[in-house]
Amino acid sequence: MAAFRRWKEQRLARADESRKGSVDEAIAELVQLLNGQERFCTTSSCAGRLLLAQAPAPGFNGYEVQKKNCCWLMVTHQLCAKEDVMTALQKATGDTVFKFEPFILHVQCQELQDAQLLHSVAIDSGFRNSGITVGRRGKIMMAVRSTHCLEVPLSHMGQLMVTEEYVDFLVQIANRKMEENMKRIDRFYKCLQLALKSELSMSNSPHGMIQKIHSVYTHRRKRKQDKEPGLCTSSENKEESKTEDDPETNLSFFF
């Protein structure tokens, strides 16, 4: 515990190495909530974004723009308009891709049971691609991830390959994905608050707390329908989480 505390202090004291240089406003309270707990430490995050990326010369590598080498012609963590994309496309001289990237969060956890609790909250909030990894030296990482991405090539060598109407269509889809993304972030934040509050109320019974965390994790893994204490599993949340399987909301493009 002391070693984890020292590592966390050093980690949080580092400068933010992301392009933006700070935590996205939409998840600032969530990150603060996690880092306010002794057993959690966030290592990277993004609230979700819409962007137009240009690949470096000579162009695409299998139609995949590499993050480290690409040029961002447009990026926003909010909804965007067709005009924003069209204006950015005027600056394109190479191959561009319009993308929606959903919320992602990496959290190092002190104990496996801490990661299991966080994983349960993430899955219940609609982040179905979340997972836990344990390194050879015992490093426990919990990744909160979703699958409703969007990635579509728009131009080649500076020439627009689709119509303006199609760009408008893509922007509408991306904006719907962003709206759903924000709903899931809010749900995750509220469910996490509830889970932590439930833990606090059971703090006088450490053995009972360990059993509760284990039962919650087993419950989510087995996908049972009965409600567990401290979990945010209202009928409204269940209905909202189904949107990930909606063919319109989960529209993807492959080339």
Side-chain angles (χ1 to χ4, degrees), residues 6-111:
R6 288 194 300 270
W7 177 89
K8 179 177 178 179
E9 291 175 353
Q10 295 174 358
R11 176 74 190 190
L12 296 180
R14 294 182 191 174
D16 192 315
E17 298 179 356
S18 64
R19 290 196 183 193
K20 184 180 178 182
S22 62
V23 175
D24 296 334
E25 183 178 354
I27 58 173
E29 290 187 5
L30 172 59
V31 170
Q32 183 177 9
L33 175 63
L34 285 166
N35 288 329
Q37 305 292 315
E38 290 186 356
R39 57 214 169 124
F40 298 129
C41 179
T42 61
T43 59
S44 64
S45 64
C46 177
R49 59 195 176 195
L50 297 169
L51 62 94
L52 183 68
Q54 178 172 276
F60 290 109
N61 178 16
Y63 286 104
E64 180 181 357
V65 176
Q66 301 298 324
K67 288 184 178 180
K68 292 184 178 180
N69 300 320
C70 72
C71 172
W72 291 358
L73 302 179
M74 182 208 78
V75 61
T76 178
H77 297 276
Q78 307 295 330
L79 303 183
C80 75
K82 176 196 69 176
E83 290 73 21
D84 299 328
V85 179
M86 296 305 298
T87 299
L89 282 168
Q90 294 177 6
K91 299 179 289 184
T93 58
D95 300 340
T96 63
V97 171
F98 178 64
K99 305 176 69 175
F100 164 70
E101 297 178 342
F103 168 66
I104 187 168
L105 175 69
H106 292 95
V107 185
Q108 185 164 348
C109 305
Q110 184 170 278
E111 303 289 345

Side-chain angles (χ1 to χ4, degrees), residues 194-223:
L194 181 59
L196 294 176
K197 183 177 180 180
S198 297
E199 276 196 346
L200 184 62
S201 67
M202 298 181 67
S203 59
N204 292 330
S205 178
H207 180 68
M209 186 66 254
I210 293 174
Q211 288 184 327
K212 174 180 177 296
I213 292 173
H214 177 72
S215 65
V216 169
Y217 183 68
T218 302
H219 159 78
R220 295 309 307 167
R221 294 291 291 176
K222 291 184 178 179
R223 307 186 69 83

Side-chain angles (χ1 to χ4, degrees), residues 32 40 49 51 57 89 121 125 141 167 180 188 220 255:
Q32 183 177 9
F40 298 129
R49 59 195 176 195
L51 62 94
L89 282 168
V121 174
S125 302
M141 293 295 298
V167 173
E180 172 61 23
F188 179 70
R220 295 309 307 167
F255 295 83

Side-chain angles (χ1 to χ4, degrees), residues 112-124:
L112 182 58
Q113 65 190 38
D114 302 326
Q116 290 173 342
L117 175 63
L118 198 56
H119 181 263
S120 297
V121 174
I123 295 295
D124 195 66

